[in-house]
Amino acid sequence: MPGKMTQEQFNEFLDAKPGWIILTSVSSTGYPHSVPLGYFRDGEKIYCGVRDNTQKILNIERNPKVSLLVESGSTMADIKGAMVQGDAVVHREPEKVLALMRAGATARGVAETELPTAPNPGSAFIEITPVNQISWDYGAV
C-alpha cells in the first residue's frame, strides 16, 4: 500500500513540475479526453496555458469537471503521483491571459525584464479549483 503525501508535500510535488500535467475532460460522447499540458500552481489554483477553441476548451465549457494528474518515477520504489479533481474555468480575456502568462513565466524563473508584454493571439488559460486531492508515494512505504 503506498503512502500518502501531506498537503505540503503534495504542493511541493506539483511545484517541482516532475513532468507535464495530464488534463482529463469529458467529451460530448461521454468519453474521457486526456492531454498533457504545461502548468503552474498559484495558491490553491492550478493554471494550464492552452490554445483557445480546442477540444479540451469545448469540453470544459460543456462540463467544467476535470481531473489533473502528475506522476514521476520508474520503479515501485520511487513512483509517486498527485491527482486533482476540480472545477475548471476558461480565461480568454487579453488582460487576464497576459497576467497569467506573466505569472507562469515568473513561476518558471523567467527574469522580470524577459516577461511577456502582450498576450499571444488565440491563447487562453484553464483555471482549476481543486475539489478533491489524491496522492500516492511508493517510496514512503
Side-chain angles (χ1 to χ4, degrees), residues 47-114:
Y47 294 91
C48 300
V50 298
R51 301 292 302 160
D52 200 0
N53 299 313
T54 55
Q55 188 61 55
K56 59 195 151 291
I57 296 287
L58 298 173
N59 292 346
I60 288 167
E61 289 177 331
R62 187 176 36 259
N63 179 352
K65 301 214 178 298
V66 299
S67 137
L68 298 167
L69 172 69
V70 176
E71 189 170 53
S72 71
S74 58
T75 68
M76 246 351 206
D78 66 355
I79 291 176
K80 66 168 56 172
M83 181 171 56
V84 173
Q85 296 168 325
D87 297 316
V89 174
V90 177
H91 295 289
R92 54 175 61 93
E93 310 79 22
E95 340 43 74
K96 181 72 172 182
V97 169
L98 178 59
L100 289 169
M101 285 174 65
R102 291 174 65 88
T106 299
R108 290 190 311 276
V110 173
E112 177 79 26
T113 57
E114 301 297 317

Side-chain angles (χ1 to χ4, degrees), residues 2 5 15-16 19 22 25 28 33 36 44 78 82 86 99 110:
M5 295 181 220
D15 293 346
I22 306 298
S25 58
S28 62
H33 176 82
E44 157 187 323
D78 66 355
V110 173

